[in-house]
Amino acid sequence: MPISRIRKKKDGTPANRSAAQKQGGEKRTPTKLDMVGGRRWVAPLMLALFVLGLCWIVVFYITQGDLPVKALGNWNIVVGFGFIAGGFVVSTQWK
């Protein structure tokens, strides 16, 4: 099998320069993103909502519908799953 020729650039410049850089325009400087701080509340709140929803449903079943809120009846299950769904919504903010 024949070996292909290696192509060399004549002027030594990179192949994919932007038009602004070719014309001597301004150069882009990389910016550093602050990924460390800011969203420390997300994980604890997410876990708290998961645990609260689970505990709400477990207490409802253990007490045979007397607790947490007797007036809600079987809607207590919906409330528990609502807390769990809220945990999933909060989890979308986690980076």
Side-chain angles (χ1 to χ4, degrees):
M1 178 174 275
I3 299 173
S4 64
R5 285 190 274 164
I6 300 173
R7 296 178 186 158
K8 295 181 181 178
K9 291 192 143 293
K10 293 179 182 177
D11 59 353
T13 58
N16 56 356
R17 292 190 318 168
S18 68
Q21 287 177 342
K22 286 180 183 177
Q23 296 173 358
E26 65 183 61
K27 294 182 179 181
R28 295 184 184 181
T29 58
T31 57
K32 187 175 181 181
L33 297 176
D34 183 24
M35 298 296 283
V36 177
R39 305 240 174 157
R40 295 181 182 203
W41 55 271
V42 173
L45 180 61
M46 175 185 66
L47 292 175
L49 287 172
F50 287 154
V51 170
L52 182 63
L54 180 65
C55 290
W56 192 285
I57 294 171
V58 168
V59 167
F60 173 72
Y61 277 117
I62 289 175
T63 61
Q64 298 175 357
D66 291 336
L67 291 175
V69 180
K70 187 173 184 174
L72 290 178
N74 287 337
W75 284 96
N76 279 305
I77 297 171
V78 175
V79 172
F81 277 113
F83 282 121
I84 293 171
F88 281 114
V89 169
V90 170
S91 71
T92 63
Q93 301 298 316
W94 194 8
K95 289 187 178 182

